Amino acid sequence: WNAILYDGGFSGWGWKQNALIHVDSKAGTATYTPEYYAVQHYSHYITPGSKILAYKTGKEDKTPVLVVMTPQKKQVVIAGNFNEKAKDITVKLGNRYLNITLQPHSLNTFVEKEKKRIKNGTGNATFRTDLIDAVFNLTEEELTKGARYEIF
């Protein structure tokens, strides 16, 4: 597979091919393709040592899904929607479910956050404080769109 091709995207054998970066030698410019950004995206979230837990190719419905476990023991879900309309999907993550709406022509990543557990005997006051902190830390976008939180 080619990382870089120049002048029209032809391989050394003269075949028209795709690459991550196309170089125009006359203009002295480089064009980064959508595949480049996809590889950049995947390699940012799926770090060395990550293990694939599940995947769906998306050949039939144009909705590929990949679930990995990072060395830091966080699950990462990368899901694409290469359709003309938004699509609702549900991904089972152990005994929990991730319910999401994927926008059309999108690549989406969801990273499991560190779990905070209430220690035995801390009571409702700590729970209320944690809940208030979670709401207080919502972004403007989350407040506008609405955010979903699960309490474990």
Side-chain angles (χ1 to χ4, degrees):
W1 194 56
N2 301 295
I4 301 172
L5 289 174
Y6 65 95
D7 296 332
F10 287 91
S11 71
W13 298 279
W15 302 330
K16 178 93 169 137
Q17 296 185 354
N18 194 15
L20 299 178
I21 303 168
H22 292 184
V23 174
D24 182 335
S25 63
K26 292 177 185 165
T29 59
T31 302
Y32 295 86
T33 66
E35 290 83 358
Y36 171 87
Y37 293 104
V39 169
Q40 180 188 35
H41 187 88
Y42 276 92
S43 61
H44 176 77
Y45 291 101
I46 303 174
T47 56
S50 295
K51 305 286 185 208
I52 296 174
L53 301 178
Y55 70 93
K56 179 177 87 69
T57 63
K59 285 184 180 180
E60 294 81 25
D61 64 356
K62 297 183 181 179
T63 311
V65 178
L66 175 67
V67 181
V68 301
M69 179 68 73
T70 68
Q72 295 78 27
K73 302 297 182 205
K74 290 185 180 182
Q75 292 184 84
V76 175
V77 176
I78 298 180
N81 179 12
F82 306 120
N83 293 288
E84 298 297 323
K85 295 182 180 180
K87 182 151 185 173
D88 293 328
I89 68 167
T90 298
V91 180
K92 186 173 187 216
L93 302 168
N95 61 355
R96 300 177 299 160
Y97 293 86
L98 175 64
N99 298 304
I100 47 180
T101 300
L102 303 175
Q103 295 305 309
H105 304 285
S106 64
L107 182 62
N108 308 268
T109 301
F110 304 90
V111 179
E112 183 178 32
K113 292 190 177 189
E114 217 172 295
K115 297 175 189 141
K116 285 188 175 181
R117 300 227 182 246
I118 298 174
K119 295 178 186 172
N120 288 336
T122 58
N124 289 331
T126 301
F127 176 76
R128 281 194 305 272
T129 302
D130 289 346
L131 188 57
I132 290 167
D133 285 347
V135 172
F136 181 76
N137 289 311
L138 290 174
T139 65
E140 184 176 339
E141 181 182 12
E142 290 171 325
L143 287 169
T144 304
K145 286 184 168 182
R148 286 181 264 182
Y149 283 90
E150 292 185 26
I151 301 172
F152 303 98

